Amino acid sequence: MSACPCGTDSSFENCCGPFLAGSSKPESAEKLMRSRYSAFARGDVGYIKKTLAPEMHGDFDEDSVKQWAENSKWKGLKIVSTQQGQAADTKGVVQFVATFESDGVLYEHHETSQFRKDGSGQWLFVDGEGEQKRVTTQHVRTGPKVGRNDPCPCGSGKKFKKCCEASA
């Protein structure tokens, strides 16, 4: 059994798998959010569209979503907060951060999403507002720090400031 992409400690088969397969419905807005993330990670664009509120279908670009889902390496999902969205509620808000890699660059997608439950008890994604940021990595020094007046580590015999630092 494989771990669920949504980040819970459960296997996919015991977590989001039944939702994507259509054998059960997420009972909260957060579970729908997690299952939609898993659908992105698995390239299941049909599920993403199926869990979209009907009024949002006109803005849904299936080809773009499929390309984004399949050309990204999905690294993790962090739920920041939830407001309402429980089984007894009809509306909910989930704030999350989804981390993914595209073309060798790591990104974080921060979003606050609106959900509602339809008449059949199905939670639907209504809208989201967010931003995507490139995650910058810091250079990690592997050797000792070289001061400006220290001998250059290249072995030239010159001071670092007059040798390799000057050409950097």
Side-chain angles (χ1 to χ4, degrees), residues 15-38:
C15 189
C16 294
F19 304 143
L20 273 65
S23 58
S24 67
K25 297 177 185 177
E27 44 297 330
S28 70
E30 181 180 332
K31 286 188 178 186
L32 177 62
M33 178 63 246
R34 289 183 177 280
S35 66
R36 285 174 57 85
Y37 175 85
S38 291

Side-chain angles (χ1 to χ4, degrees), residues 100-166:
F100 66 96
E101 184 181 325
S102 180
D103 294 325
V105 179
L106 193 62
Y107 294 92
E108 286 184 341
H109 179 79
H110 297 245
E111 185 173 308
T112 301
S113 296
Q114 308 289 324
F115 297 89
R116 78 161 181 262
K117 197 186 304 180
D118 70 8
S120 73
Q122 172 69 49
W123 280 100
L124 298 170
F125 171 80
V126 177
D127 200 3
E129 192 173 305
E131 65 179 347
Q132 201 162 279
K133 293 187 220 176
R134 184 177 182 154
V135 178
T136 57
T137 56
Q138 295 181 344
H139 176 72
V140 178
R141 187 180 320 124
T142 56
K145 183 175 178 178
V146 179
R148 291 178 38 87
N149 290 315
D150 291 340
C152 191
C154 76
S156 68
K158 297 179 184 178
K159 288 184 177 182
F160 180 60
K161 69 181 177 185
K162 297 283 187 179
C163 190
C164 290
E165 183 184 43

